[in-house]
Amino acid sequence: MSRLLKPRNHISFNRHNVSQISSYDRESGLGFIETVLQSGPMRADWVWRSPGGVAKQGLHDRNSGTGASSLRSMAIRSVSANASLLSPEVMETVPWVVARDVWKELKMNVLDNLHVWKAFAVAYASEPEGEALKFRKQVIQIVNMYLEDYVQPITAPSFEWITFLTLTDITCSRSELINMSQLTNLGALTVGPGLQAPDDGVDDSILRCWARASAESKAFSKLKVLACRSQGQLTTRTFEYVGDLKPLSSFILEQYSVGGSDRHHAGSFGWKRRSGNSVRALLAKYSCRTTSWDSIIKALYTHGGCSDNVIETDNEADDSLPILDMSLGGDQKPAIVDVNGKLRLNCFSRSSTSTRSISSLTQPSGKKRSMQPMSGAEPSEKRQIKKSRQTQVENAFSEFGI
C-alpha cells in the first residue's frame, strides 16, 4: 500500500529511440550535446485514459461530512489519485474490504479506465460483491493505430479474462487480421460492416489461416462465437474452415440468403442452422430482453455447446471469468436484429464434429471442390470462361495427337 501513496509523474518515452550527438558551434566554439527523439507509432494511451481526471477528483478531496477526514479516507483518495500504479500484483496484497472502497472512489471520479479495471477484475472478480467487475464495455470510435496495438493490451495469455472483439468501419492489413490468432483469450469475434483488409474485409483465405492456426498452435482455444456481417467475399467453403475451429459453437452470417443447398453443405461439416424461434428462445433463456447484437452474442457465448447436445462443453470455468467487450471503429448498432426477415440472421450451431480436416482441401480424385457464393447463385461468368479455355486447350492437344 505504501507504494500507492507515492505520487509519480508520467513521462513516457522509449530509450531505444533516443540518441545523443556531441557537436560544437563553429562561430563561438562552444560545445553542446544534441538529443534526437525518433518518432514512432502512437502509444496505447486509451488504456490509461478515463473521462475523469485530477480536476474532477479534486472535487471529492474534502470530507463530505463534518470534521476532519479519517486516515482511511485520505489513503483511499491518495490511491485513487495514483491509479496508474495499480496492478494485479499490487492489489492482491490489499483486502477486498479496503479495495471495495477504492473502487467506489474511482467510479465516483470516473477514473476506472481499462488499466484500472484489469487490476481489479483479475484480483477481485471472484468476490461475492465483485459482480460489477465481471463485465466492461470499451468503445473506440476513432482508430488511429495499428490493429495489433489495440489487440496487445486486451490479450490475457493466462486467461485472466475473456475478450469479446468487434471490428467495424476500420482499415487494416490482411496480416493483422491473420495475426488475430495471437489474441489467445478471444471468446467472441464480430467482423462488422465497413472492415477494409485492405479491400473487401474477411474472405475464405483468412478463415483458412485461422483454422490452420487453431490446428497447429491451438489458437482460438476460447473462441465460441464468430459473427460475419456484410462480408460479401465469403463462399460455401467457409463452413469447412470454421469447422476446424474446434471450440467454436456458433457461427453467424448476416445479409445472406442461405438456400437449401447451402444448409446441406453446412450440415456435411457439422453445422445446423437455428430457426428464428430458436434464437428468440435462447435469448429468453438467458434473460435478454431484445434481439440486439450484444444480446445475441452474449446469449450464444453463455449457452455454448451445440444445438442438439451432441457435443458437451464445460462452460463453468469460462463463465467465472470477467468479460471485456471491446469495439473498434464504433459500437454495435442498437437496432433490433431481424431474425425472420428476407435477409435474416443466419445462426449456425455445431451439431457434430466435422470428419474433415484442414489438410484435406481437395477431393481424392484431385478435382477442386466447388466454391459457390453464399447466396446459392449460379457459377460466375468468369468460371465459365475459364472452363471454356480449358476445353480449347484440350482440343488443341487432340489436333496434335497428344
Side-chain angles (χ1 to χ4, degrees), residues 233-393:
Q233 301 300 311
L234 296 177
T235 69
T236 52
R237 272 195 176 179
T238 299
F239 297 107
E240 303 180 39
Y241 304 140
V242 296
D244 286 288
L245 298 172
K246 299 305 180 184
L248 192 68
S249 59
S250 297
F251 177 50
I252 303 175
L253 291 169
E254 187 198 30
Q255 298 299 322
Y256 290 104
S257 178
V258 178
S261 60
D262 298 327
R263 291 195 293 270
H264 177 75
H265 186 80
S268 65
F269 293 95
W271 295 99
K272 181 179 179 181
R273 184 184 177 277
R274 287 183 177 273
S275 64
N277 292 333
S278 175
V279 175
R280 293 182 183 277
L282 194 63
L283 292 171
K285 179 179 179 180
Y286 295 103
S287 303
C288 299
R289 299 180 179 179
T290 64
T291 56
S292 63
W293 269 105
D294 286 342
S295 299
I296 292 175
I297 298 297
K298 182 179 179 180
L300 290 174
Y301 178 84
T302 305
H303 179 70
C306 300
S307 58
D308 55 4
N309 295 325
V310 173
I311 300 176
E312 296 293 339
T313 56
D314 183 11
N315 295 327
E316 294 183 0
D318 293 344
D319 289 344
S320 63
L321 296 176
I323 293 178
L324 171 60
D325 192 350
M326 177 86 165
S327 295
L328 289 179
D331 199 2
Q332 297 271 32
K333 292 183 179 180
I336 302 301
V337 178
D338 185 6
V339 297
N340 292 312
K342 182 178 180 181
L343 293 176
R344 56 190 178 275
L345 178 78
N346 292 281
C347 178
F348 292 86
S349 294
R350 194 188 293 270
S351 58
S352 62
T353 304
S354 175
T355 58
R356 308 186 188 187
S357 63
I358 195 69
S359 60
S360 58
L361 296 179
T362 58
Q363 296 177 349
S365 61
K367 296 181 180 179
K368 293 183 179 179
R369 296 173 183 167
S370 60
M371 189 168 57
Q372 301 290 343
M374 198 65 67
S375 59
E378 295 296 327
S380 62
E381 182 180 356
K382 182 177 180 180
R383 294 195 174 277
Q384 295 176 359
I385 294 175
K386 185 176 181 180
K387 184 177 180 180
S388 63
R389 289 179 179 175
Q390 182 179 0
T391 304
Q392 292 176 3
V393 173

Side-chain angles (χ1 to χ4, degrees), residues 133-182:
L133 301 171
K134 295 284 288 184
F135 182 84
R136 178 179 178 84
K137 181 72 173 180
Q138 186 84 25
V139 180
I140 299 179
Q141 296 184 350
I142 301 177
V143 179
N144 51 19
M145 297 187 300
Y146 295 117
L147 181 59
E148 60 185 12
D149 294 327
Y150 293 100
V151 170
Q152 193 277 330
I154 61 177
T155 302
S158 300
F159 305 105
E160 293 90 351
W161 67 86
I162 296 295
T163 296
F164 289 4
L165 181 60
T166 300
L167 305 176
T168 305
D169 295 325
I170 67 172
T171 300
C172 61
S173 64
R174 292 178 62 86
S175 61
E176 287 181 302
L177 278 181
I178 293 174
N179 289 336
M180 287 291 299
S181 59
Q182 299 178 5

